[in-house]
Amino acid sequence: MTSVITTRTRETAPTERTRRNRWSTGRLLRRLPWWLIALVLLGGALLWVYPFLWMLSASLKDNIEVFSSSLSLLPESAVFENYGRAWSDANFSGYMWNTIIVTVVTVVLVVIRCAMAGYVIGRYGFFGKKTVVVVLVATLFVPTGYTIIPVVDITQQLGLLNSLTGMIIALSGGGHVAAILLYAGYFRQVPRELEESATVDGAGFFTIFLRIMLPLAKPITATVTLLTFLSTWNAFFLPLVFTFSRPDLRTLSVGMQAFVGENTTDWAGMAAAATISLVPVIVLFVVLQRRFVEGFAGAIKQ
């Protein structure tokens, strides 16, 4: 009896000690003045956003001032010609349209495919389900460079290598395991009564999925849309391979190479081009940020 009590005491002691430590830490934070906490958080935020501010500042400087002014964020005189040079001379207007087409179509294909796969995995039991999930998760550890050769070979056999269509198929045909698991986790929590009542009313699989389940998964759809948009918009390796012989099909990330010459690099023009390419990403994140948080919260909620 004594040994049992001793064992229980040893098991609960770390828990009680942890609670005391958390309580003391919470009391210490509550005693700090609000302005000190705000000052620390503001300093962390400025440190985090400084690289973006430096890039924005460099886009308004000439190439000499970019390095002569060191860490200064204020240009001596704003050089807006950098944006004109990036947009027209470096053909970023064409690269922007290529990127928009590839990204939008890829996002649509990924959302549809991952939503259906996540719905089946999250709502239905079938033979080999655990094996399928394990294989999907295992693909997360396969680097993109290891799969580029079969992807290019298949695309070339289809006659789509040097085209936006081939690029879209290559970008949307990956595993996208995170998106599938997000949908599966969300659909798993939806009450079964919704499906049962819809089945009684004569609704089939696709009707239930399209009219009931997919509208309920708007937070997950927003999350997957944002994540896929970011990965596709910033993709470099696959678009580079698919545009070797077609420079006119380059995306924004690949088009950055236009500022790198044999002997010199147009850093100011590159900063302006990078700023242009970030604007759509920032706008989309601002629009979908609430849904983005709700999507992750809903997917992991038990």
Side-chain angles (χ1 to χ4, degrees), residues 125-140:
F126 53 89
F127 178 76
K129 177 179 177 179
K130 292 184 178 179
T131 304
V132 171
V133 175
V134 170
V135 172
L136 285 175
V137 174
T139 60
L140 289 172

Side-chain angles (χ1 to χ4, degrees), residues 73 77 229 248:
L73 297 178
S77 60
F229 183 93
D248 57 305

